Amino acid sequence: MSPHHLNPSSLKSRFTTRFLRALTNINAQNPISSSSPREILQRYRRIKVAADKSMAYSVRSRRTWSRAMRWKLRSRSWRQASSVRRLKITTTCHQAIMKKTAHERESKTTTGEEVGFGVQTDGLRELVPGGEAMDICNLLDETAHYIKCLTTQVQREQIAS
Amino acid sequence: MAMSSISMYNKPSNASDPFFGSSWDPIVSLSQSESLVGSSMVSHSEFANSHYPLLMENQGITSTAHFSQYQSDPSFVELVPKLPGFGSGNWSEMVGPFSLPQCGQIANGKCPQNYALNTEVGNERACTNSTQSRDEHQLSDEGVVGASPNGKRRKRVPESNSPLRSYQNADEEPQKDPSGESSDVPKGQDEKIQKTEQITGVNSRGKQIAKQAKDSSQTGEAPKENYIHVRARRGQATNSHSLAERVRREKISERMRLLQELVPGCNKITGKAVMLDEIINYVQSLQQQVEFLSMKLATVNPELNIDLERVLSKDILHSRGGSAGILGFGPGLNSSHPFPPRIFPGTISGVPSTNPQFPPLPQTVLDNELQNLFQMGYDSSSAMDSLGPNAGRLKSEL
């Protein structure tokens, strides 16, 4: 009937199970008693994080963007949960990584210029998580996979609502 | 004749035969004039040329199972028994009787790697000669630089029928060979490398020609291909840089084509710039959709008894409306915003069917968020200033 869920290990089913689990957890933790905007916002944030997280973990870090997203989520949770020291560590690590990737990007854009893409790929790099460090070839690859996963996410969320 | 014996390596295409016919004659004549086995090198170029028939027949010996016609050339036939038990791994025995100089300083920096690759590559060649997978080529990737000169050597024979091809080749590739003096370093290794590369060249050419049969360009001469081994196209620069660039460009365009299929409504668009813009817009809109839906989930869902079956059943229903259905509400709620029709061609029709839950939602909070979401997407950065604190918080979470 549904080709998607026939394969129990497909991306869609993995994402679905994780996401649903996360949603039920969130709902269990915070039952909607009031509809104050703040609470709704909190829930929204949590759900968004849950969606991103479940997607990123479903992809199992085979892809650069999922790794970058996981890293972002993890650092964000550290930032929220813990001390200033951890925050400093993460930010310094992140800065080091960003510098490195900036260097890489410089060296790569010089070779990428010839293809005629130079300027617009920056927009794409911002969008795709982890896109700063990749050359155009890989960036396009990651974008394709990312688009696929985003469509999956949207479909599932739509159903869940 | 040499032509037929060589043509068997290029089974799928016969158009290469004239190529071989024209090019191999000098070689055959040379080889026939000399005695290959146990001979010391007479001249640099001649011996270099004589590599080819030697390797050809070695190839033939290892893969006689695959090829039917082999003994048509009398010179080859008499040479066959002189190379007994030639297996794929017997490169050393092959190399032994021949004191092979470095006719082309080929991939000298990569000697040790190719040394290791040798037997591997040779074994694989023996096993499947007619069906070369790309992995093999990747295995012998180290031999690319070395193999391609051989390939180029062979391919340009019709263009320049000089018996001094090896010299020509050496001249053409100063950049591939920064350390010409390292050719003195193990000659045995280099010889093996040479053989490997030449076999590589043979087989890759065979495969290329198979590929050429699919391509439209069939002159029988300079083959075009986009493997890891890149040959110079006819009439194009043979600079290694331009070749690499061409490979890169083709990879990129291939990926762009894939993306074009993914992004809806991009079939008519030609041109990378516009395509990129479309892709960026699409990714942005997808991200917004995710946010939007998660916001919706945050407000709507106390009754989250969803299990997979329900999701399954709804999946079928919703797959028609598609993910664009949600954003069909855009015009309804935010009529002021220009809705880019090209990205979501099917949205308006999807509005009534897919989201019956929307009207009862608390409009106040959602309105703000929705406005902010849409503003973020469609008016890129200019709208950011006008957004309220909610949106500011939203954006900071991103």
Side-chain angles (χ1 to χ4, degrees):
Chain A
M1 189 174 175
S2 75
H4 315 293
H5 287 274
L6 280 182
N7 181 4
S9 64
S10 78
L11 175 70
K12 283 188 178 174
S13 49
R14 287 200 303 258
F15 172 69
T16 311
T17 47
R18 274 180 220 255
F19 187 47
L20 290 178
R21 216 180 301 151
L23 276 183
T24 47
N25 285 341
I26 289 176
N27 273 331
Q29 289 171 11
N30 313 354
I32 292 192
S33 51
S34 66
S35 60
S36 74
R38 224 177 122 262
E39 274 186 30
I40 289 181
L41 264 179
Q42 275 182 357
R43 283 191 79 232
Y44 157 70
R45 264 182 254 143
R46 286 208 198 96
I47 289 179
K48 200 161 82 71
V49 166
D52 288 341
K53 205 180 260 190
S54 46
M55 179 51 76
Y57 280 99
S58 308
V59 179
R60 299 197 196 289
S61 77
R62 249 177 317 154
R63 288 277 164 177
T64 309
W65 68 263
S66 80
R67 286 194 290 263
M69 198 186 260
R70 284 200 206 191
W71 192 92
K72 219 189 302 178
L73 290 169
R74 214 168 281 157
S75 69
R76 184 182 301 176
S77 68
W78 286 355
R79 218 182 303 150
Q80 286 175 352
S82 72
S83 63
V84 178
R85 191 162 48 112
R86 254 197 240 172
L87 175 63
K88 268 193 214 158
I89 292 173
T90 56
T91 48
T92 49
C93 291
H94 190 54
Q95 281 168 7
I97 293 174
M98 288 312 290
K99 269 188 217 156
K100 188 166 80 90
T101 59
H103 282 306
E104 284 178 12
R105 198 189 345 160
E106 280 169 21
S107 62
K108 281 183 175 133
T109 46
T110 50
T111 56
E113 281 297 334
E114 66 220 13
V115 193
F117 276 110
V119 181
Q120 290 146 320
T121 51
D122 292 342
L124 202 51
R125 279 179 217 267
E126 292 169 22
L127 282 180
V128 177
E132 297 92 359
M134 294 186 278
D135 56 343
I136 291 175
C137 209
N138 295 331
L139 184 64
L140 293 179
D141 239 358
E142 296 287 327
T143 309
H145 195 258
Y146 187 56
I147 287 178
K148 194 178 79 156
C149 295
L150 276 182
T151 49
T152 309
Q153 221 174 337
V154 166
Q155 279 175 15
R156 289 291 173 261
E157 289 192 350
Q158 215 174 337
I159 293 171
S161 65
Chain B
M1 290 301 294
M3 291 179 290
S4 58
S5 66
I6 292 165
S7 68
M8 66 186 162
Y9 300 102
N10 302 294
K11 279 186 296 189
S13 161
N14 291 326
S16 57
D17 285 351
F19 165 65
F20 285 113
S22 61
S23 63
W24 286 109
D25 279 335
I27 298 170
V28 172
S29 62
L30 280 173
S31 67
Q32 283 169 348
S33 62
E34 304 175 359
S35 64
L36 285 175
V37 180
S39 69
S40 59
M41 196 199 65
V42 177
S43 70
H44 191 90
S45 58
E46 285 170 320
F47 202 77
N49 294 334
S50 68
H51 277 308
Y52 300 117
L54 198 59
L55 288 168
M56 288 303 193
E57 74 201 33
N58 292 339
Q59 194 67 28
I61 292 167
T62 56
S63 52
T64 40
H66 298 274
F67 301 116
S68 53
Q69 351 137 336
Y70 179 72
Q71 288 83 4
S72 46
D73 190 5
S75 67
F76 280 19
V77 169
E78 79 190 16
L79 284 168
V80 166
K82 292 188 185 162
L83 299 164
F86 174 75
S88 56
N90 295 343
W91 291 112
S92 55
E93 295 172 25
M94 261 300 306
V95 170
F98 310 108
S99 59
L100 302 178
Q102 272 319 101
C103 48
Q105 296 81 15
I106 300 168
N108 292 314
K110 304 184 180 159
C111 290
Q113 294 153 330
N114 280 335
Y115 196 74
L117 281 176
N118 245 338
T119 51
E120 210 175 4
V121 168
N123 284 329
E124 287 180 335
R125 290 274 146 35
C127 300
T128 64
N129 195 22
S130 53
T131 62
Q132 301 287 338
S133 66
R134 220 175 256 237
D135 297 330
E136 269 183 26
H137 289 280
Q138 283 170 358
L139 273 181
S140 56
D141 192 16
E142 263 85 35
V144 166
V145 169
S148 47
N150 290 331
K152 281 184 189 167
R153 229 191 296 181
R154 253 185 239 129
K155 269 126 210 100
R156 277 193 227 103
V157 163
E159 297 167 11
S160 60
N161 288 325
S162 76
L164 303 174
R165 283 198 300 276
S166 56
Y167 288 118
Q168 201 182 22
N169 191 30
D171 291 341
E172 281 163 1
E173 300 167 358
Q175 64 251 20
K176 284 188 186 148
D177 179 28
S179 61
E181 60 275 9
S182 60
S183 59
D184 303 329
V185 180
K187 280 200 182 171
Q189 285 181 357
D190 286 341
E191 292 152 7
K192 293 181 195 183
I193 294 158
Q194 218 175 5
K195 293 209 186 319
T196 319
E197 289 155 357
Q198 282 166 349
I199 293 290
T200 307
V202 170
N203 293 326
S204 61
R205 185 167 18 119
K207 200 180 178 193
Q208 285 164 30
I209 293 177
K211 204 171 194 283
Q212 278 172 25
K214 302 177 210 159
D215 296 345
S216 54
S217 68
Q218 196 44 269
T219 59
E221 296 173 2
K224 308 174 191 178
E225 58 116 35
N226 53 357
Y227 284 91
I228 297 178
H229 296 201
V230 183
R231 304 300 196 261
R233 288 195 200 183
R234 189 175 170 78
Q236 284 193 2
T238 62
N239 195 11
S240 68
H241 290 301
S242 52
L243 285 177
E245 278 171 31
R246 184 155 51 87
V247 168
R248 243 179 84 90
R249 249 178 279 145
E250 286 168 2
K251 265 201 253 179
I252 287 178
S253 52
E254 183 190 325
R255 302 225 165 119
M256 290 289 290
R257 258 178 277 138
L258 284 178
L259 279 174
Q260 210 168 8
E261 292 165 22
L262 271 183
V263 180
C266 281
N267 305 320
K268 311 142 200 156
I269 295 179
T270 52
K272 295 183 217 158
V274 187
M275 192 61 222
L276 263 182
D277 284 338
E278 283 293 330
I279 291 171
I280 289 177
N281 280 335
Y282 188 61
V283 172
Q284 272 176 346
S285 59
L286 278 181
Q287 284 175 341
Q288 285 163 26
Q289 271 181 319
V290 170
E291 287 179 30
F292 182 72
L293 281 173
S294 54
M295 168 57 61
K296 189 171 156 219
L297 281 176
T299 58
V300 177
N301 278 323
E303 81 288 342
L304 206 59
N305 303 321
I306 297 173
D307 37 14
L308 269 180
E309 287 85 23
R310 190 163 143 222
V311 171
L312 268 174
S313 57
K314 275 196 185 173
D315 193 11
I316 313 299
L317 284 176
H318 286 281
S319 61
R320 304 303 153 79
S323 59
I326 278 290
L327 275 183
F329 278 94
L333 288 168
N334 298 309
S335 52
S336 59
H337 291 285
F339 197 78
R342 58 203 168 123
I343 300 181
F344 306 103
T347 55
I348 314 295
S349 56
V351 166
S353 59
T354 54
N355 291 294
Q357 301 174 1
F358 244 90
L361 281 175
Q363 289 289 318
T364 53
V365 174
L366 265 184
D367 270 349
N368 283 340
E369 254 86 35
L370 283 174
Q371 278 180 0
N372 298 333
L373 283 177
F374 285 113
Q375 275 176 354
M376 277 190 284
Y378 301 133
D379 296 346
S380 56
S381 59
S382 59
M384 295 305 292
D385 311 326
S386 58
L387 295 179
N390 286 341
R393 236 178 302 156
L394 276 177
K395 204 54 183 170
S396 66
E397 287 304 317
L398 294 175

